[in-house]
Amino acid sequence: MTAPEVAGLAPELKGAKKGQGESPISSAIDRFTSFDVEAFEVPGGREESWRFTPLRRLRGLHDGTASLDTATDVAVSPVEGVTVETVGRDDPRLGEGGVPADRVAAAAWSAFREAVVVTVDGTPGPVTITVTGPGEGRTAAGHLQLRTTRLTQATVVVEHRGSGTVADNLEVVLADGSRLDLVVTDEWADDAVHVGARHYSVGRDATLRSTSVSLGGDLVRVSETVSYAGPGGDAELRGLGYADAGQHLEQRLLVDHSVPHCRSDVLYKNALQGDGAHTVWIGDVVIRAAAEATETFEFNRNLVLTERARADSVPNLEIETGEITGAGHASATGRFDDEQLFYLQSRGIPEDVARRLVVRGFFGEILSKIPLPELRERLEAAVEAELAVTGV
Amino acid sequence: MSTLEIKDLRVSIATDDGAKEILKGVDLTVRTGETHAIMGPNGSGKSTLAYAIAGHPKYEITSGSVTLDGQDLLALTVDERARAGLFLAMQYPVEVPGVSMSNFLRSAATAVRGEAPKLRTWVKEVKGAMSDLDIDSDFAERSVNEASPAARRSATRCCSSRCCSRSSPSSTRPTPASTSTRCASCPRA
């Protein structure tokens, strides 16, 4: 029997798993999930979900040699209408957001002793949650759940900072009719390795507006999964990544349309500069048979600013029903446009200012969606600082 | 009075079959107040001349000289040439996505004038210039050269007006675009 063709899989990977002549599973429709780390095989690097990740730089997160013996520090700014609880593993709410889909997420799930549950109710002011790494040379697991109550409207910022190696899960559970504007930043120190899974459960008629910003760290791999708990859900996911020399930034998304009348819109933009800068964007969208009247679009753009940087981009769309409103995906990776540079310079603008204008323009449609002006300005400044690093 | 002087200009571009010489010794002197029209069939090098003077990286100048009031333009970077007073009106200006016209104009004015214009007077100045040129005020918030050809020409007109070419003594354009003769004949608006 010959193995079936699997879309998106490099031919040389066929039969890679255990040498059995079977294609590794790559369809997102039947993606394997489990809370148990042992249910996942140790990745060897050729699996579809790991083939872009430099496993040697994961410091053993993937193969069990890392001891996830400490916890990340989670601090929540006190805001009226926001409840912060530290709960044990047996709290029944844990897992409502989603189930780990890779070995590192499952390892984090198996390792954490206490989880932080943040419940947002009503129309509170902006909430800032700061997650801090365990420090250089140390390894931590983390678990954070963010919940809204019915009809809540809130803005929440989750900032990742500090040093060390971190594997964690972030669950975001949106109750029916609620709206969450969420900004998650990875602003790690240069040494940090972060493998994070984010599980979004979007309730009936709920609205998620999320922006993910990846700037710091040696290796940051973030897997985001959107699922819908009822019809009328609306999710927009925005992302911004800026990879410097030697930095690996990976964004893996799955938007799982399993109920009718839901909407999703994904736009991720990365800039790369310096030797060995690497970004990976995987955009899976699944429209299951029941998900009629789905409307979905996903788009990835990468701006390669210097030689010897690499951007991988893999958009995937799997559709099991034709009764949809619309579905599309697009991906474009380009170098810095010399014509744009010439145009701006020909109006008297010096080259360094012109480059900054173009990069700022490139990220403008992501940054302009960030709802808090102070945060927006801080992140704009952080992007400018990245530009200054190599004087691009 | 300014003088743009082009002497024996030879320009090549790189092709798959090696360098190809486009301009084979151009001589031209343009003084303030003069309007020169360069005519010729497609491919005769009209645009090449304009782009080469402006400093487009695609064109290689193999010999000759271009001076503006005795200053060697070819030794200057693209932006230095622009600040010296050269203005190239492009037939097909590129779009710069995400960079608003107002941001772009202010950056250009800052560079040309050597200091950032004061915000209060600047807004007034841009509004005045746009209204003088019959440009819809919405354009200020659009991306540079976004969308319609008319909008692109507006960007060129606005840019070549007093906002950011205060001292433009010389304006070159590859091809007369239909509606905007104003900035070609009168770069100082």
Side-chain angles (χ1 to χ4, degrees):
Chain A
M1 199 181 97
T2 53
E5 287 286 327
V6 180
L9 193 67
E12 68 272 19
L13 291 178
K14 277 196 169 178
K17 204 174 188 184
K18 287 185 172 172
Q20 289 174 345
E22 283 175 27
S23 299
I25 295 161
S26 87
S27 168
I29 283 187
D30 39 37
R31 185 170 79 157
F32 178 77
T33 59
S34 172
F35 292 109
D36 177 15
V37 61
E38 298 307 331
F40 292 89
E41 286 188 55
V42 173
R46 306 185 76 187
E47 299 78 6
E48 182 57 29
S49 60
W50 289 102
R51 66 186 176 108
F52 293 108
T53 314
L55 297 178
R56 274 174 304 168
R57 286 162 62 185
L58 286 180
R59 297 176 190 154
L61 284 177
H62 63 297
D63 60 11
T65 56
S67 58
L68 293 162
D69 49 0
T70 54
T72 53
D73 179 69
V74 179
V76 186
S77 64
V79 176
E80 204 175 321
V82 178
T83 313
V84 183
E85 301 164 79
T86 303
V87 302
R89 299 181 55 84
D90 55 350
D91 191 287
R93 294 170 296 182
L94 299 182
E96 277 182 24
V99 184
D102 67 49
R103 197 172 196 276
V104 176
W109 199 294
S110 302
F112 78 85
R113 296 194 185 94
E114 289 177 324
V116 176
V117 177
V118 178
T119 307
V120 187
D121 179 47
T123 52
V127 185
T128 301
I129 303 173
T130 308
V131 177
T132 308
E136 204 162 346
R138 303 184 70 184
T139 305
H143 197 95
L144 172 64
Q145 188 183 71
L146 180 61
R147 309 173 63 84
T148 59
T149 57
R150 252 176 81 84
L151 303 176
T152 282
Q153 303 236 347
T155 299
V156 175
V157 182
V158 180
E159 298 176 353
H160 293 97
R161 295 176 175 284
S163 287
T165 306
V166 173
D168 65 358
N169 287 274
L170 167 62
E171 291 182 70
V172 179
V173 183
L174 270 62
D176 294 351
S178 66
R179 178 189 165 110
L180 179 66
D181 284 276
L182 176 68
V183 181
V184 184
T185 68
D186 274 287
E187 298 175 86
W188 300 102
D190 289 344
D191 71 288
V193 168
H194 179 209
V195 179
R198 298 178 195 157
H199 316 270
Y200 305 102
S201 172
V202 181
R204 183 185 183 111
D205 295 326
T207 303
L208 172 68
R209 294 288 178 264
S210 136
T211 306
S212 173
V213 179
S214 296
L215 296 174
D218 173 63
L219 184 154
V220 174
R221 173 179 148 128
V222 174
S223 304
E224 301 181 83
T225 303
V226 178
S227 56
Y228 295 88
D234 181 351
E236 278 181 16
L237 289 96
R238 300 279 175 263
L240 178 162
Y242 204 124
D244 290 321
Q247 204 179 11
H248 178 93
L249 301 179
E250 185 165 345
Q251 305 136 344
R252 312 183 65 89
L253 288 96
L254 168 62
V255 182
D256 190 346
H257 283 278
S258 56
V259 294
H261 296 285
C262 289
R263 185 181 163 268
S264 64
D265 186 44
V266 171
L267 172 64
Y268 273 63
K269 288 186 152 190
N270 293 313
L272 302 91
Q273 67 181 12
D275 282 9
H278 190 192
T279 63
V280 179
W281 180 81
I282 312 294
D284 287 332
V285 173
V286 166
I287 304 175
R288 294 179 193 268
E292 295 187 353
T294 289
E295 186 184 348
T296 174
F297 195 78
E298 55 170 351
F299 191 16
N300 171 228
R301 283 200 61 192
N302 302 303
L303 179 61
V304 182
L305 293 167
T306 63
E307 301 282 322
R308 293 182 294 280
R310 173 180 171 137
D312 284 291
S313 180
V314 186
N316 274 311
L317 183 56
E318 294 177 66
I319 308 181
E320 291 186 330
T321 174
E323 301 295 316
I324 57 169
T325 306
H329 59 194
S331 169
T333 296
R335 288 175 190 281
F336 200 92
D337 188 339
D338 287 339
E339 294 292 333
Q340 290 181 358
L341 196 60
F342 172 74
Y343 179 80
L344 294 171
Q345 281 191 269
S346 77
R347 295 324 183 225
I349 300 171
E351 182 176 347
D352 57 331
V353 178
R355 283 184 177 272
R356 278 205 296 275
L357 267 181
V358 171
V359 174
R360 201 192 287 164
F362 177 73
F363 284 134
E365 60 182 320
I366 306 288
L367 290 169
S368 65
K369 291 276 168 70
I370 289 176
L372 306 170
E374 269 178 37
L375 177 66
R376 187 167 61 231
E377 280 163 29
R378 182 167 69 74
L379 293 174
E380 277 169 359
V383 168
E384 303 257 319
E386 293 275 345
L387 265 172
V389 168
T390 50
V392 169
Chain B
M1 285 291 283
S2 292
T3 306
L4 176 70
E5 195 163 22
I6 302 166
K7 275 188 190 160
D8 189 34
L9 189 68
R10 290 178 180 269
V11 177
S12 299
I13 57 164
T15 68
D16 291 341
D17 306 322
K20 186 181 176 198
E21 189 167 68
I22 308 286
L23 300 184
K24 297 163 184 168
V26 175
D27 294 290
L28 177 69
T29 303
V30 183
R31 293 177 193 86
T32 297
E34 296 177 358
T35 301
H36 291 246
I38 298 168
M39 298 168 73
N42 287 348
S44 58
K46 306 181 295 294
S47 297
T48 297
L49 176 63
Y51 278 113
I53 298 169
H56 193 288
K58 205 170 87 180
Y59 301 93
E60 195 201 343
I61 292 168
T62 50
S63 73
S65 69
V66 181
T67 58
L68 186 62
D69 296 331
Q71 185 184 17
D72 180 10
L73 282 183
L74 302 183
L76 304 178
T77 61
V78 175
D79 52 300
E80 286 167 345
R81 295 181 202 193
R83 290 199 295 275
L86 212 60
F87 187 88
L88 173 65
M90 294 180 200
Q91 188 180 11
Y92 303 109
V94 293
E95 184 182 342
V96 191
V99 178
S100 71
M101 269 303 290
S102 60
N103 188 4
F104 160 64
L105 286 174
R106 194 151 194 266
S107 301
T110 302
V112 170
R113 296 174 192 182
E115 60 175 349
K118 290 196 173 58
L119 208 54
R120 210 164 52 85
T121 52
W122 171 249
V123 172
K124 221 187 251 176
E125 187 182 349
V126 171
K127 276 190 180 155
M130 291 181 82
S131 126
D132 286 353
L133 295 165
D134 295 327
I135 293 169
D136 194 340
S137 58
D138 291 350
F139 283 127
E141 291 318 310
R142 286 210 201 159
S143 290
V144 173
N145 296 324
E146 184 190 30
S148 67
R152 293 180 180 209
R153 286 197 292 272
S154 294
T156 299
R157 288 157 64 197
C158 202
C159 200
S160 63
S161 78
R162 61 182 177 234
C163 289
C164 40
S165 55
R166 174 194 50 169
S167 59
S168 252
S170 178
S171 169
T172 57
R173 47 192 310 114
T175 305
S178 54
T179 59
S180 54
T181 50
R182 206 165 181 164
C183 59
S185 56
C186 178
R188 302 185 66 176

